[in-house]
Amino acid sequence: MIKARKAKGLTQRELADMIGIRETSVSNWEVERSLPRLEVARAVSKVLGFSIEFLFFEEEPSDGHRTLS
């Protein structure tokens, strides 16, 4: 997720503010201390424009689509 966030030019705080969560949550995901709830992961993927699989596991989804439509 770090690569996708930085590619959009966002800080952890900016991403957190955009989806209505705490900056510490974003930090915890990026250092793999925790994972977001599904609805939050969907919001993150929408903001950053990548699939959930790519954001959190940095691998292509099984259907071969990397970005969200």
Side-chain angles (χ1 to χ4, degrees):
M1 182 168 77
I2 296 169
K3 291 177 186 177
R5 176 180 57 77
K6 288 184 176 183
K8 289 289 187 176
L10 297 172
T11 65
Q12 289 179 344
R13 178 178 296 277
E14 289 169 331
L15 176 59
D17 288 347
M18 291 175 83
I19 58 176
I21 60 165
R22 294 184 208 153
E23 179 182 0
T24 55
S25 295
V26 176
S27 176
N28 286 335
W29 305 334
E30 290 185 355
V31 296
E32 300 179 6
R33 279 193 197 120
S34 65
L35 289 173
R37 295 182 323 269
L38 182 57
E39 62 271 12
V40 175
R42 285 183 179 139
V44 171
S45 68
K46 185 175 182 179
V47 167
L48 297 181
F50 288 89
S51 69
I52 292 171
E53 294 94 336
F54 184 79
L55 287 175
F56 294 99
F57 307 109
E58 293 188 2
E59 51 187 54
E60 298 293 331
S62 58
D63 65 5
H65 292 95
R66 184 172 160 198
T67 59
L68 297 177
S69 306

